[in-house]
């Protein structure tokens, strides 16, 4: 659990650093799957620093996934959203309301409950169908990115973040399924991770950092947790299932509340209201 929470801190700070780097790069095509934007972002030192933290976080996540149920690791990673919100308030000069600070506390409280309730890693190894299913899911992440890139403003960031979360969720499941270099789960791990980075970079380059991170947290938490319980035999400590459910629900609920927080919220609102203001002027003026 310490490794999982360490990964959450790394991922949370990395998201803000990558947002700074992606926004400093030359604007891309606007597509949700834009490899050229990623290449330009890689020229920014802050983006590279974010990637370094991602690498450290991924190493800690692997340690956690080899010892804890997927649902516990996924909910621990939900704490990265709280870290992102706090880091954005400092590095991007954004202000959190009392409601957002309460949501941060809710995520942390949910994590404490999950830490108390989680058992060991499940003994299930997954079927061949599940291994191929992770590969199909990794390909579907790119489709989500292509569709999400066409959406406006905050919705675009949230959907692309959700797609990135699905990609990282594929990685979480695939780690438990890899059984050799020829395993489709290994291909799914690589493809899902690469697709997730593409979508996340596009989301961070234009939209709210926390809206994108919130979508990512939901994508990488709910689905993998269900797969772990249903297919990989992840369980809680005996008699602690209600506590685990409550902790998981609190962590996700706090993440959803924080999804409404965005360091560029006022600016995005002004941009969204501009067309309506122009229309109003055209109606009022003769």
């Amino acid at each position: 659990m310490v490794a999982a929470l360490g990964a959450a801190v790394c991922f949370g700070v990395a998201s803000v650093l990558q947002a700074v780097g992606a926004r400093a790069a030359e604007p891309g095509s606007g597509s949700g799957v834009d490899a050229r934007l990623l290449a330009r972002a890689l020229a920014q030192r802050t983006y590279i620093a974010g990637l370094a933290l991602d690498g450290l976080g991924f190493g800690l996540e692997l340690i956690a996934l080899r010892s804890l149920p997927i649902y516990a690791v996924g909910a621990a990673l939900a704490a990265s959203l709280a870290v992102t919100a706090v880091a954005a308030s400092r590095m991007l000069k954004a202000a959190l309301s009392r409601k957002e600070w309460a949501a941060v506390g809710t995520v942390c409280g949910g994590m404490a409950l999950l830490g108390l309730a989680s058992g060991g890693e499940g003994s299930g190894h997954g079927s061949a169908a599940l291994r191929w299913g992770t590969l199909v899911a990794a390909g579907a992440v790119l489709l989500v990115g292509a569709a999400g890139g066409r959406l406006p403003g905050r919705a675009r960031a949230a959907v692309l973040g959700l797609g990135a979360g699905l990609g990282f969720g594929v990685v979480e499941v695939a780690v438990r399924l890899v059984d050799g270099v020829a395993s489709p789960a290994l291909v799914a791990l690589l493809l899902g991770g690469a697709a997730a980075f593409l979508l996340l970079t596009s989301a961070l380059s234009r939209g709210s950092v926390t809206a994108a991170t919130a979508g990512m947290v939901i994508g990488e938490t709910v689905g993998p947790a269900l797969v772990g319980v249903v297919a990989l035999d992840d369980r809680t400590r005996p008699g602690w299932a209600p506590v685990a459910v409550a902790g998981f629900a609190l962590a996700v609920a706090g993440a959803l509340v924080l999804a409404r927080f965005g360091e560029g919220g006022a600016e995005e609102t002004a941009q969204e209201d501009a067309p309506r203001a122009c229309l109003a002027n055209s109606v009022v003026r003769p």
Side-chain angles (χ1 to χ4, degrees), residues 73-171:
V73 177
L77 296 183
S80 68
L81 181 54
V83 176
T84 295
V86 174
S89 71
R90 300 293 184 269
M91 299 174 64
L92 298 175
K93 307 302 181 183
L96 280 83
S97 68
R98 292 181 179 179
K99 182 181 293 186
E100 277 84 44
W101 282 115
V104 170
T106 299
V107 172
C108 295
M111 284 309 311
L113 293 178
L114 266 173
L116 291 172
S118 62
E121 176 190 18
S123 59
H125 299 290
S127 63
L130 181 58
R131 288 175 172 78
W132 284 105
T134 58
L135 184 56
V136 172
V141 171
L142 296 174
L143 298 179
V144 173
R150 300 180 180 181
L151 298 174
R154 198 174 183 83
R156 178 181 185 274
V159 171
L160 290 179
L162 177 63
L166 293 175
F168 290 130
V170 168
V171 172

Side-chain angles (χ1 to χ4, degrees), residues 5-200:
L5 291 174
V9 172
C10 291
F11 292 149
V13 176
S15 291
V16 179
L17 291 174
Q18 288 168 330
V20 173
R23 294 175 182 184
E26 181 183 347
S29 64
S31 168
V33 185
D34 191 347
R36 287 179 294 180
L37 172 62
L38 178 59
R40 288 191 289 270
L42 287 171
Q44 305 295 321
R45 292 182 178 179
T46 50
Y47 192 89
I48 294 296
L51 283 183
L53 278 177
D54 273 334
L56 176 59
F58 183 63
L60 293 172
E61 182 184 358
L62 288 180
I63 294 173
L65 285 169
R66 289 298 183 180
S67 305
L68 291 174
I70 292 177
Y71 72 81
V73 177
L77 296 183
S80 68
L81 181 54
V83 176
T84 295
V86 174
S89 71
R90 300 293 184 269
M91 299 174 64
L92 298 175
K93 307 302 181 183
L96 280 83
S97 68
R98 292 181 179 179
K99 182 181 293 186
E100 277 84 44
W101 282 115
V104 170
T106 299
V107 172
C108 295
M111 284 309 311
L113 293 178
L114 266 173
L116 291 172
S118 62
E121 176 190 18
S123 59
H125 299 290
S127 63
L130 181 58
R131 288 175 172 78
W132 284 105
T134 58
L135 184 56
V136 172
V141 171
L142 296 174
L143 298 179
V144 173
R150 300 180 180 181
L151 298 174
R154 198 174 183 83
R156 178 181 185 274
V159 171
L160 290 179
L162 177 63
L166 293 175
F168 290 130
V170 168
V171 172
E172 291 178 22
V173 175
V175 164
R176 294 273 295 273
L177 299 175
V178 172
D179 55 359
V181 293
S183 172
L186 179 59
V187 179
L189 188 154
L190 299 175
L191 178 59
F197 270 113
L198 279 176
L199 270 61
L200 185 59

